[in-house]
Amino acid sequence: MIESIEMVNWRAYTRREFQFQPGITFIMGANGTGKTSILEAIAYALTGEASTVKARGKLLRDPEKLATVRLQFSIDTHTYSIERSQSAKRAESARLTDLTSGKVLRTTHKKITERVEEILNVSVDFLRRIVYMAEGDIFRFLNDPPGDALHSQIQQVLGLTQLNGFSVALEQAQKEIGARIKATRRQIDFLEELGVTKEQELVDHMQRLEERRNRLLAELRATQSRVLEYERENEGLSRLAPLLRDVTRVFQEKQPDSATIFNQAIPELFRQREQELGQIQARLDTIEQDIAYLRGEYTAYNQLLDLLHAHESGEETIPCPVCSKPMTGAERSTVYRDLFRRLNQIDQQAREYEALLLQLNARRSSVESEVESLRPLRNYLAHAHLQSLPPDSAVAGLQEAIRMHELEARDHRAAMQNEIQSLEAEIAAIEQERARYLTAQSRLHDLGFTIPEEASYGLVQLEMRSLSIRAAIRAVQDTLMAQQNANMEKIYAQVAEVWNNFMRSENWGVQLDRTGMPVLRDGQEREADLSQLSGGEKTALMVMLHTIIAHHFSNTDFLLIDEPLEHLDSINRRSLIRFLVKAHQKGAFQQVIVTTFEESLIRKYMSDEAVHIVHLA
């Protein structure tokens, strides 16, 4: 029984506490005065969640403060207290206390909810869907029947839990076999798509693919090797180009008519130029020696002239400056003429040698430039090992080879890249095909088969097992429904009796289907469409079902009903209030808390000691 509820910062209330007594308590007040807030607080304390408000922040009157609900209830010989606190973002502190023993039982929201289920011997779903009938619950009940919550509780009370567990186990087994059948069928279809029905076919396909893959890989490696060689050749020609430009520049500067030279093999041209350079150097050395000799002779003759001048006295004879023999004037004149003539010859010859030196030095400089430009080119050709260019190539041949390479390079490179891409695409397609066969092989093993032939046989076996389990499920479910309906006949009769009194008829029977939806049948066992009932009639039927089901299938001795009279006309409102009063008098429940704004409808019962009124301003 609910004894009290205290709310702090909870929805309509800053702080408020209500005490409750056995019997029927009508909470009366206009809309917006907080009637529903009281029932929601009780439901929140018991289950940890509000039934009609899902956003936690809307439970708080002031979102900056905690909301706290304290519920006190009793069952059997024990009295319990539940305290739960809630912020705008999350659940905060919680505590469940056995006031009879003074012991704190639980201190977390989840553990408290689980312990409440044990104390009341009902599930939280049953509390939310049956014991507490929130405003507008009629529409929730019809759109989302509480089949699971209702049937699990009914089967537990009737002792059918073990049989239901067997049914659940069979359904799980059927689900697993169904999944295995689907997987096996997919595997068989996959094998057929691959053209494989036997083990040897799978082996043959894999072997052919492997052989083709290896052949294409060999072709790909060969093509990639050609590409690398081509790129190396291309790089070599690229390095050769500036060397050629340097040789061409040097030769064209020194020898404008160089066409013949450029057709000579570079090693031979280099050898010729080096040989010519040696010859020039030898000629230069000889000329310099000759010039040195002439200079010495020239000096000696000048010294003789100086000696002749020194002995000049006008006498007929003078001593020879060389041998000291007497010389006549005529002899002296002859010597003078011979000396001057020789000096002139030496001077002329020296000027010729100087001119020749200039020419030879100029030629040597030119040849040295040519040799120095040819040397790196000759060395590069000797060591680069370019396939398209032999070491004895000529400059003109190299220039033509580079020009042709540049013309062909783009197309040749594109052709090789296309070949590589084509081979890679073929290999990728083979890999994909191999992956499909490997996947088929792996799936066979995962399904417990070693060869393709076993899959078809296994599928037949699985289908047979599935048929057997489906038959067992139907048998168990039929047994469950038969036992449940047999045990609920009195309950259905009681619901029908109350409903026929409410409707002033004797033709209606009421049952619940597997979803928990009420089914109405007339005297000819024809089902009635619930959509034909008015909103008030549906509400009355739901209140009756909640009341009778909660009485028979739970240990709770209280009901919480929010605005059950709202959609009823005045006659049916009185009929429903009369039903609740009589249900309490007959012991259907110890306590019911009902919210309403219809004070005039309950005046007749205000004098009844079991009826209590709570007025909200």
Side-chain angles (χ1 to χ4, degrees):
M1 186 190 80
I2 305 299
E3 295 185 354
S4 66
I5 185 72
E6 180 182 0
M7 299 164 288
V8 178
N9 194 37
W10 177 264
R11 300 195 66 186
Y13 300 103
T14 302
R15 178 182 290 273
R16 190 72 183 268
E17 182 178 2
F18 294 94
Q19 304 290 331
F20 299 100
Q21 302 176 36
I24 302 177
T25 298
F26 290 97
I27 301 177
M28 305 187 64
N31 290 335
T33 54
K35 302 188 297 296
T36 300
S37 297
I38 300 172
L39 299 188
E40 281 287 5
I42 297 173
Y44 171 75
L46 292 171
T47 67
E49 292 185 15
S51 296
T52 61
V53 180
K54 299 304 179 184
R56 296 182 181 275
K58 294 183 178 180
L59 297 173
L60 283 64
R61 182 175 181 84
D62 183 350
E64 301 299 323
K65 300 178 181 179
L66 288 180
T68 301
V69 172
R70 298 182 183 90
L71 173 71
Q72 184 170 312
F73 69 99
S74 59
I75 185 169
D76 297 331
T77 59
H78 287 261
T79 300
Y80 301 91
S81 171
I82 299 176
E83 179 178 314
R84 297 184 191 258
S85 293
Q86 177 71 51
S87 69
K89 295 182 178 180
R90 62 178 180 272
E92 301 289 345
S93 61
R95 182 173 57 197
L96 169 64
T97 305
D98 184 347
L99 297 178
T100 304
S101 64
K103 183 179 180 180
V104 176
L105 304 179
R106 300 289 187 273
T107 56
T108 68
H109 286 268
K110 182 179 178 181
K111 294 295 184 181
I112 289 173
T113 301
E114 292 172 353
R115 188 70 179 97
V116 168
E117 287 181 320
E118 296 173 3
I119 293 171
L120 298 180
N121 197 28
V122 292
S123 67
V124 167
D125 286 341
F126 192 85
L127 281 171
R128 293 193 187 112
R129 301 303 304 273
I130 304 300
V131 176
Y132 175 35
M133 186 175 180
E135 183 180 3
D137 195 45
I138 171 63
F139 303 107
R140 179 187 176 198
F141 197 102
L142 296 178
N143 294 328
D144 179 22
D148 292 338
L150 185 58
H151 280 283
S152 62
Q153 185 69 21
I154 290 174
Q155 288 167 3
Q156 180 178 345
V157 173
L158 296 180
L160 303 177
T161 304
Q162 185 174 0
L163 187 58
N164 184 65
F166 180 53
S167 176
V168 171
L170 286 173
E171 289 176 353
Q172 180 61 31
Q174 174 61 22
K175 183 178 179 181
E176 293 173 359
I177 288 179
R180 186 171 174 79
I181 288 173
K182 289 181 180 179
T184 304
R185 284 176 178 166
R186 286 196 299 268
Q187 179 62 16
I188 292 174
D189 292 342
F190 188 40
L191 289 171
E192 290 178 353
E193 181 183 338
L194 295 175
V196 173
T197 57
K198 299 178 181 179
E199 180 184 15
Q200 190 57 45
E201 292 174 342
L202 182 60
V203 173
D204 291 344
H205 278 294
M206 291 291 293
Q207 184 175 353
R208 283 194 296 271
L209 288 172
E210 185 68 21
E211 291 173 354
R212 187 180 172 201
R213 173 178 172 271
N214 290 338
R215 177 175 57 79
L216 290 172
L217 283 173
E219 291 182 21
L220 178 62
R221 286 191 290 269
T223 304
Q224 289 173 334
S225 178
R226 290 200 307 273
V227 169
L228 290 174
E229 182 62 30
Y230 181 79
E231 293 299 336
R232 191 184 73 82
E233 191 85 1
N234 185 56
E235 183 180 356
L237 291 174
S238 298
R239 293 181 179 179
L240 182 64
L243 300 178
L244 276 175
R245 286 195 296 270
D246 190 42
V247 169
T248 302
R249 176 184 57 77
V250 169
F251 274 82
Q252 287 178 344
E253 286 178 355
K254 305 299 182 181
Q255 302 183 47
D257 186 14
S258 54
T260 302
I261 296 173
F262 286 168
N263 287 322
Q264 287 184 268
I266 290 172
E268 177 62 21
L269 181 60
F270 180 78
R271 186 187 64 77
Q272 289 178 357
R273 287 299 184 268
E274 274 198 327
Q275 186 177 11
E276 182 183 358
L277 187 61
Q279 292 171 349
I280 292 172
Q281 187 61 50
R283 180 65 176 148
L284 284 171
D285 292 343
T286 300
I287 292 172
E288 287 177 352
Q289 289 176 3
D290 291 342
I291 290 174
Y293 177 78
L294 289 173
R295 286 174 180 168
E297 189 177 2
Y298 188 87
T299 302
Y301 286 145
N302 274 321
Q303 288 176 351
L304 288 174
L305 286 174
D306 290 340
L307 288 173
L308 289 175
H309 284 300
H311 292 87
E312 186 175 7
S313 60
E315 298 179 1
E316 282 285 330
T317 60
I318 60 171
C320 178
V322 177
C323 63
S324 300
K325 290 181 179 182
M327 295 178 62
T328 64
E331 289 177 338
R332 186 178 61 185
S333 296
T334 300
V335 171
Y336 262 112
R337 286 194 302 269
D338 290 340
L339 286 174
F340 276 114
R341 185 175 61 252
R342 183 58 184 158
L343 285 174
N344 288 332
Q345 289 176 349
I346 291 173
D347 187 59
Q348 178 63 31
Q349 193 173 5
R351 284 197 298 273
E352 291 175 356
Y353 278 149
E354 291 293 342
L356 184 57
L357 278 176
L358 289 175
Q359 293 176 2
L360 289 174
N361 279 322
R363 179 58 181 163
R364 184 181 66 178
S365 175
S366 176
V367 174
E368 283 179 344
S369 298
E370 292 172 355
V371 169
E372 292 307 313
S373 67
L374 286 169
R375 190 187 306 280
L377 181 59
R378 191 272 317 256
N379 293 342
Y380 186 75
L381 287 174
H383 298 96
H385 303 297
L386 299 176
Q387 293 181 355
S388 60
L389 301 175
D392 58 352
S393 299
V395 171
L398 293 176
Q399 291 173 333
E400 180 64 16
I402 291 176
R403 187 182 69 83
M404 293 302 297
H405 182 82
E406 290 176 348
L407 290 175
E408 297 173 357
R410 180 178 300 175
D411 292 340
H412 190 58
R413 185 183 289 108
M416 288 192 294
Q417 289 298 330
N418 289 338
E419 184 178 354
I420 288 176
Q421 290 175 2
S422 177
L423 288 170
E424 288 177 341
E426 285 190 67
I427 292 171
I430 290 175
E431 293 289 2
Q432 187 174 5
E433 190 71 10
R434 287 180 72 249
R436 284 162 58 84
Y437 284 103
L438 289 172
T439 299
Q441 202 170 45
S442 176
R443 287 178 181 175
L444 274 176
H445 293 161
D446 291 343
L447 291 170
F449 307 125
T450 56
I451 58 176
E453 294 92 317
E454 292 180 354
S456 297
Y457 177 76
L459 179 61
V460 173
Q461 299 300 312
L462 288 170
E463 293 281 10
M464 292 176 62
R465 289 172 60 189
S466 177
L467 288 173
S468 300
I469 291 177
R470 284 202 296 268
I473 290 173
R474 285 195 296 271
V476 170
Q477 289 178 345
D478 291 343
T479 301
L480 272 172
M481 288 303 297
Q483 292 189 23
Q484 182 170 311
N485 288 334
N487 284 279
M488 291 188 67
E489 284 183 0
K490 292 182 180 180
I491 298 170
Y492 290 152
Q494 183 178 353
V495 175
E497 178 185 358
V498 175
W499 176 247
N500 284 314
N501 288 334
F502 181 82
M503 296 294 291
R504 295 177 176 82
S505 170
E506 297 180 357
N507 296 323
W508 292 106
V510 180
Q511 287 186 341
L512 297 175
D513 64 13
R514 286 187 58 81
T515 69
M517 177 73 75
V519 178
L520 296 174
R521 291 185 174 87
D522 62 11
Q524 286 76 38
E525 292 299 316
R526 292 176 298 184
E527 292 187 5
D529 188 352
L530 291 179
S531 63
Q532 296 176 354
L533 298 180
S534 67
E537 291 169 340
K538 292 176 185 176
T539 301
L541 178 59
M542 290 301 106
V543 171
M544 295 172 189
L545 283 171
H546 278 239
T547 302
I548 295 171
I549 289 172
H551 170 65
H552 285 280
F553 297 108
S554 74
N555 286 349
T556 57
D557 56 1
F558 59 87
L559 285 174
L560 309 174
I561 308 176
D562 193 14
E563 297 285 4
L565 309 178
E566 183 178 2
H567 299 288
L568 302 180
D569 56 36
S570 59
I571 295 176
N572 286 330
R573 287 176 184 174
R574 291 187 176 88
S575 297
L576 187 57
I577 294 174
R578 184 170 59 253
F579 161 73
L580 291 173
V581 172
K582 288 184 177 180
H584 169 66
Q585 292 172 349
K586 292 180 179 181
F589 47 79
Q590 183 181 6
Q591 180 187 54
V592 62
I593 302 174
V594 185
T595 63
T596 182
F597 59 88
E598 296 286 351
E599 181 177 356
S600 60
L601 297 174
I602 59 174
R603 286 176 182 169
K604 175 182 177 180
Y605 303 98
M606 286 183 178
S607 59
D608 192 319
E609 63 180 8
V611 175
H612 312 283
I613 309 296
V614 174
H615 288 280
L616 299 178

